[in-house]
Amino acid sequence: MMSCVIGFETTAAIASSFPVSSVTKTTSTNTHSTLLHCPTRPLTFTSSSSSFSSRTILNGSSSTRLASIRCFSVLTPELKNTLDKVVTSHKVVLFMKGTKDFPQCGFSNTVVQILRSFNVPFETINILENETLRQGLKQYSNWPTFPQLYIEGEFFGGCDITVEAYKNGQLQEILEKAMCS
């Protein structure tokens, strides 16, 4: 997923048109525009610097004129290289909200408790400390939520997948294999 900044010539019905995390209004000398930052909205194009102009978005009976769309990836080559090094330098890495000693999310806590039940060493990275890391990881793993578990450099899954693999015995097999390699 990419982050996108969307500029509108009018503001009518914007809030109901797009799920956004924040709305910032800006005013120039000639026009009034609203910028929407939507970090998790999937886009239908892949270019990191696409620009479209004068498109109309319909919202019920009203319409909004789209001025431009600029998209950029939070996952820079530097961040990707760093993440590659982190996930390959440890057998088990959990990107989570909080730390293994102080989880700040029930889902993160669940995965920590599962990993502790196997008595395997694992590293945790607190994604709440860095918004760029948090957004970049979503692109890196192509997974929108946290926690994110990596085993032997490969993305394993989030909480639901980890719980299911724990219940059916698959996680134990994978972790045993990882610890023996």
Side-chain angles (χ1 to χ4, degrees):
M1 293 184 199
M2 295 183 181
S3 291
C4 59
V5 178
I6 304 171
F8 287 91
E9 293 174 3
T10 63
T11 60
I14 291 174
S16 62
S17 298
F18 293 98
V20 296
S21 60
S22 62
V23 176
T24 307
K25 292 184 179 179
T26 59
T27 305
S28 65
T29 54
N30 296 335
T31 63
H32 179 77
S33 65
T34 299
L35 295 180
L36 304 178
H37 179 66
C38 31
T40 59
R41 181 165 172 77
L43 302 174
T44 57
F45 50 92
T46 57
S47 172
S48 62
S49 61
S50 296
S51 180
F52 300 93
S53 59
S54 298
R55 295 189 57 190
T56 301
I57 297 173
L58 298 176
N59 181 24
S61 61
S62 64
S63 67
T64 303
R65 198 100 178 130
L66 180 62
S68 67
I69 297 177
R70 294 174 310 216
C71 294
F72 58 95
S73 174
V74 177
L75 186 61
T76 62
E78 296 82 16
L79 180 55
K80 183 184 181 313
N81 288 338
T82 300
L83 291 171
D84 286 340
K85 288 176 187 175
V86 169
V87 300
T88 58
S89 64
H90 305 285
K91 294 200 183 252
V92 181
V93 180
L94 180 64
F95 293 93
M96 61 178 284
K97 295 178 181 178
T99 64
K100 65 175 126 184
D101 294 326
F102 188 64
Q104 295 182 343
C105 161
F107 299 112
S108 294
N109 185 48
T110 298
V111 176
V112 165
Q113 296 310 314
I114 288 171
L115 293 174
R116 283 187 170 159
S117 75
F118 291 118
N119 201 29
V120 297
F122 65 98
E123 295 297 318
T124 60
I125 310 292
N126 184 357
I127 55 100
L128 296 176
E129 294 177 347
N130 186 316
E131 184 64 22
T132 301
L133 171 65
R134 183 177 179 174
Q135 295 303 322
L137 266 166
K138 292 177 183 182
Q139 294 171 351
Y140 182 78
S141 64
N142 198 26
W143 194 260
T145 60
F146 292 96
Q148 293 183 7
L149 180 61
Y150 286 79
I151 301 174
E152 289 195 302
E154 297 291 324
F155 177 67
F156 182 77
C159 182
D160 291 345
I161 291 171
T162 303
V163 168
E164 183 64 30
Y166 171 73
K167 287 179 180 178
N168 68 25
Q170 180 187 15
L171 183 60
Q172 182 175 354
E173 292 175 19
I174 292 170
L175 288 173
E176 285 175 357
K177 181 180 173 187
M179 293 302 120
C180 291
S181 64

